[in-house]
């Protein structure tokens, strides 16, 4: 590439040092608004991945494992302060890398600080429990211990938020990490290394290897990891889980979704339509929790469809770095092409296109990867449009008559990440939330997250949890210790109970 040497260029971050990748291969990362390359990223291979795991293992064995919870907490709090102070800069970098609007990316940088503080608070409180046994002359207790070295593989849509969920919990629990960000959005993760260093974390506790699927594959197949936490597509997730199965490495998989947002006739329709709108057009629909299927009770169906169809073309598309922009670009070219292909397929399946349906053009949009906010109505749940994750601003509206029918449609995909329920009837809200086969249920709200809430899916949306206390427990193991203080000599041929 012509001007490659003039772009900022990033090495790998291994053992507290910036290290060029062994094979010397670099690739450009593109700004999806200008479609110009704006930084060069290193392509780590299997030997770089091995070096990163070795550096993490050495840091774990020589210092981090014995570091007190209080010390870990102090470092995480310090890092949170540094991240918060840099939130605007991190937001600009992330928006430049993945095209998400600046109000979301700066918010996610602040969320990273929040989640670091949330888990910092746990670091010195990881006590176990005393367990009373049937016998009185033994003392039994279970402790919580770190796992060791964990691999964190991340997608491109929300790098800082995802890294926060994984790394903050893993570090608070006393593990060292090797992070593999997406090849489409690596810069903020690399820049975070500088803040980790400034906060004073020992070298080797936090390592970053960049590169495409080959690097992720090398990490998933590597020996010496104690857990892998993966966020991304079902296709790659299955490959990671299969590789981890061969080395018996436990995995967490945070995969995709096709989440239903259900509006009942008795709902506050203005609030519900705004929630549905946020659910699919927030973050340009590039979010695993996108409410991409809108289920609407027949008696209010026309009103809801017309509300959304009228508002969608008014969404302000534009430079994602500008505060007033409401929807940014799609993050990268493969994803853009995928969305366009899904829209074409939805048309051919017979869904009614109500608005949008193609590339967005207009002043200031010429170069960027913009898609029009797109709404299909009269969608049937067996269409590809309703069954497959599109990961873009494409809404499928499905009518229903009864509560039972809504539940059947809502649960009628292979995914199970999130669901939204809009109703004023508390009994219905409770009944339907119990019936949802999903890891998250929102009632009269949507796409609202917090450091304290456990997050994750069921079925093809994956397994394991992030955030909340559950997210911390994923990075801890328990050890049981039994102390016999009786004076009796035991029968060697009978197990003691
Ligand atoms: P992706 O699966 O293509 O890539 C995710 C990461 O895995 C990247 O770092 C990539 O380089 C790496 N990777 C790719 N192939 C690999 C392989 N064979 N072995 C190991 N690593 C590999 O996903 P994406 O396109 O970056 O992200 C979009 C997907 O992520 C969507 O399906 C979305 O729903 C999902 N996602 C899920 C959550 C969640 O928390 N459930 C959050 C955000 C995104």
């Amino acid at each position: 590439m012509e001007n490659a040497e003039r772009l900022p260029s990033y090495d790998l971050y291994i053992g507290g040092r910036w290290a060029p990748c062994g094979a010397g291969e670099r690739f450009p990362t593109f700004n999806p608004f200008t479609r110009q390359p704006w930084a060069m990223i290193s392509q780590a291979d299997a030997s770089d991945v091995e070096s990163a795991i070795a550096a993490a293992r050495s840091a774990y064995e020589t210092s981090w494992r014995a570091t007190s919870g209080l010390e870990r907490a102090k470092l995480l709090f310090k890092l949170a302060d540094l991240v918060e102070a840099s939130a605007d800069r991190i937001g600009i970098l992330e928006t430049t890398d993945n095209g998400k609007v600046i109000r979301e990316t700066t918010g996610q940088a602040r969320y990273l600080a929040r989640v670091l503080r949330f888990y910092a608070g746990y670091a010195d409180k990881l006590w176990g429990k005393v367990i009373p046994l049937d016998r009185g002359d033994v003392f039994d207790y279970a402790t919580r211990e770190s796992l060791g070295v964990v691999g964190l593989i991340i997608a491109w849509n929300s790098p800082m938020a995802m890294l926060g969920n994984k790394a903050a919990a893993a570090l608070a629990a006393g593990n060292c990490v090797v992070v593999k960000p997406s090849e489409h959005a690596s810069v903020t993760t690399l820049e975070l290394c500088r803040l980790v260093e400034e906060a004073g974390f020992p070298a080797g506790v936090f390592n970053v290897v960049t590169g495409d699927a080959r690097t992720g594959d090398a990490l998933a197949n590597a020996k010496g990891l104690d857990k892998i936490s993966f966020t991304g597509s079902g296709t790659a997730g299955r490959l990671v889980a299969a590789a981890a199965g061969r080395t018996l490495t436990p995995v967490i998989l945070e995969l995709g979704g096709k989440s239903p947002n259900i509006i009942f006739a008795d709902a506050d329709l203005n609030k519900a339509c705004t929630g549905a709108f946020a659910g699919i057009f927030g973050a340009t629909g590039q979010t695993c929790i996108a409410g991409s299927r809108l289920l609407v009770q027949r008696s209010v169906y026309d009103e809801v469809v017309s509300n959304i169809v009228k508002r969608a073309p008014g969404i302000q598309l534009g430079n994602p770095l500008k505060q007033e922009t409401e929807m940014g670009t799609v993050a990268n070219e493969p994803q853009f092409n995928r969305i366009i292909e899904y829209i074409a397929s939805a048309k051919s399946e017979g869904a009614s296109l109500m608005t949008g349906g193609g590339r967005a053009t207009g002043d200031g949009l010429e170069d960027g990867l913009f898609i029009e906010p797109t709404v299909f109505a009269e969608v049937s749940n067996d269409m590809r449009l309703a069954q497959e994750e599109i990961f873009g601003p494409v809404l499928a509206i499905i009518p229903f008559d009864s509560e039972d029918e809504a539940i059947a449609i809502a649960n009628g995909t292979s995914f199970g990440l999130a669901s939204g329920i809009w109703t004023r009837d508390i009994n219905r809200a409770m009944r339907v939330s119990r019936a949802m086969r999903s890891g998250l249920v929102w009632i009269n709200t949507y796409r609202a997250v917090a450091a304290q809430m456990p997050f994750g899916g069921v079925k093809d949306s994956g397994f394991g949890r992030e955030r909340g206390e559950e997210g911390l427990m994923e990075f801890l193991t328990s050890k049981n210790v039994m102390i016999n203080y009786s004076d009796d000599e035991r029968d060697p041929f009978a197990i003691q109970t």
Side-chain angles (χ1 to χ4, degrees):
M1 218 180 57
E2 257 174 42
N3 61 348
E5 63 284 353
R6 278 187 273 126
L7 299 177
S9 188
Y10 290 90
D11 285 335
L12 309 176
Y13 188 72
I14 298 180
R17 293 214 182 93
W18 293 98
C21 57
E25 191 185 331
R26 280 168 201 264
F27 60 92
T29 185
F30 287 83
N31 173 339
F33 178 60
T34 61
R35 288 165 78 196
Q36 294 301 312
W38 75 286
M40 296 298 292
I41 307 295
S42 297
Q43 173 67 40
D45 62 15
S47 69
D48 297 313
V49 167
E50 269 173 36
S51 303
I53 295 173
R57 178 64 58 192
S58 162
Y60 181 71
E61 298 299 346
T62 57
S63 69
W64 196 239
R65 182 180 197 167
T67 303
S68 71
L70 177 60
E71 189 54 29
R72 295 200 303 276
K74 281 183 186 166
L75 291 166
L76 287 162
F77 279 123
K78 180 82 203 295
L79 181 58
D81 290 345
L82 293 170
V83 166
E84 194 165 58
S86 313
D88 289 343
R89 195 176 100 80
I90 294 173
I92 291 170
L93 294 172
E94 191 127 308
T95 291
T96 308
D97 225 4
N98 71 4
K100 259 194 171 183
V101 289
I102 192 78
R103 43 175 118 164
E104 169 118 343
T105 52
T106 48
Q108 287 187 326
R110 290 197 178 87
Y111 167 78
L112 169 59
R114 174 68 187 97
V115 82
L116 283 162
R117 291 189 180 114
F118 175 73
Y119 285 120
Y122 275 103
D124 62 345
K125 299 172 193 70
L126 300 176
W127 42 71
K129 55 189 173 192
V130 170
I131 304 172
L133 302 189
D134 297 343
R135 294 177 51 157
D137 50 8
V138 289
F139 181 75
D140 193 274
Y141 65 94
T143 57
R144 298 222 173 265
E145 296 188 355
S146 54
L147 302 175
V149 176
V150 298
L152 312 178
I153 304 177
I154 286 171
W156 43 259
N157 59 324
S158 298
M160 284 299 94
M162 280 181 245
L163 185 59
N165 296 338
K166 294 181 196 297
L171 295 171
N175 303 283
C176 293
V177 303
V178 177
V179 185
K180 208 304 266 172
S182 165
E183 59 274 34
H184 299 294
S186 306
V187 170
T188 45
T189 304
L190 289 159
E191 287 291 333
L192 190 72
C193 298
R194 303 189 206 284
L195 303 185
V196 167
E197 210 167 293
E198 194 180 335
F201 282 81
V205 170
F206 186 89
N207 307 275
V208 177
V209 287
T210 50
D212 59 17
R214 290 169 291 168
T215 312
D217 179 65
L219 190 58
N221 280 285
K223 295 196 178 73
L225 290 177
D226 298 292
K227 190 152 195 169
I228 297 174
S229 176
F230 173 88
T231 297
S233 62
T235 308
R238 282 173 172 80
L239 292 169
V240 168
R246 288 192 286 276
T247 52
L248 277 187
T249 307
V251 269
I252 304 172
L253 296 179
E254 295 289 351
L255 309 176
K258 193 75 198 181
S259 300
N261 217 340
I262 313 170
I263 301 183
F264 287 98
D266 68 348
D268 175 333
L269 289 188
N270 284 333
K271 264 177 73 178
C273 289
T274 302
F277 210 70
I280 189 64
F281 299 128
T284 320
Q286 298 174 110
T287 155
C288 53
I289 49 178
S292 48
R293 290 183 301 146
L294 182 62
L295 280 49
V296 186
Q297 198 151 24
R298 190 90 56 185
S299 57
V300 293
Y301 180 81
D302 289 342
E303 191 181 341
V304 169
V305 172
S306 117
N307 179 315
I308 290 175
V309 168
K310 268 194 204 129
R311 284 161 77 182
I315 295 177
Q316 193 161 343
L317 272 59
N319 184 343
L321 284 171
K322 290 197 170 158
Q323 278 299 336
E324 62 270 24
T325 301
E326 294 173 326
M327 233 175 76
T329 64
V330 170
N332 53 66
E333 204 133 354
Q335 182 57 20
F336 178 86
N337 295 335
R338 198 178 122 96
I339 298 171
I340 293 289
E341 192 271 312
Y342 265 113
I343 291 174
S345 145
K347 288 176 188 165
S348 70
E349 281 183 302
S352 308
L353 177 64
M354 306 301 289
T355 183
R359 177 173 205 141
T361 50
D363 268 4
L365 307 183
E366 302 80 4
D367 298 325
L369 298 169
F370 288 97
I371 301 258
E372 293 174 309
T374 297
V375 178
F376 285 98
E378 295 303 330
V379 175
S380 133
N381 202 45
D382 55 7
M383 290 178 180
R384 198 174 160 229
L385 169 63
Q387 290 293 319
E388 296 181 22
E389 184 184 48
I390 299 177
F391 221 59
V394 182
L395 181 63
I397 310 186
I398 305 171
F400 70 86
D401 290 300
S402 67
E403 186 178 306
D404 283 347
E405 193 192 355
I407 292 169
I409 297 171
N411 287 336
T413 74
S414 63
F415 295 107
L417 190 53
S419 5
I421 302 165
W422 298 87
T423 177
R424 287 189 172 104
D425 177 342
I426 183 69
N427 296 356
R428 163 173 283 156
M430 297 305 287
R431 271 195 313 270
V432 178
S433 73
R434 210 173 45 212
M436 287 300 97
R437 290 270 289 128
S438 62
L440 301 159
V441 178
W442 284 293
I443 297 170
N444 295 332
T445 185
Y446 201 86
R447 209 165 94 84
V449 293
Q452 300 93 326
M453 314 166 15
F455 180 98
V458 297
K459 306 196 304 188
D460 285 1
S461 294
F463 43 78
R465 290 293 177 265
E466 297 193 324
R467 306 181 186 162
E469 193 167 51
E470 286 82 349
L472 181 76
M473 293 307 158
E474 295 282 3
F475 292 108
L476 288 163
T477 184
S478 83
K479 179 185 281 172
N480 191 80
V481 180
M482 184 194 280
I483 304 167
N484 175 4
Y485 60 89
S486 82
D487 294 328
D488 300 343
E489 199 179 323
R490 61 169 290 183
D491 172 357
F493 303 107
I495 189 158
Q496 281 186 312
T497 55

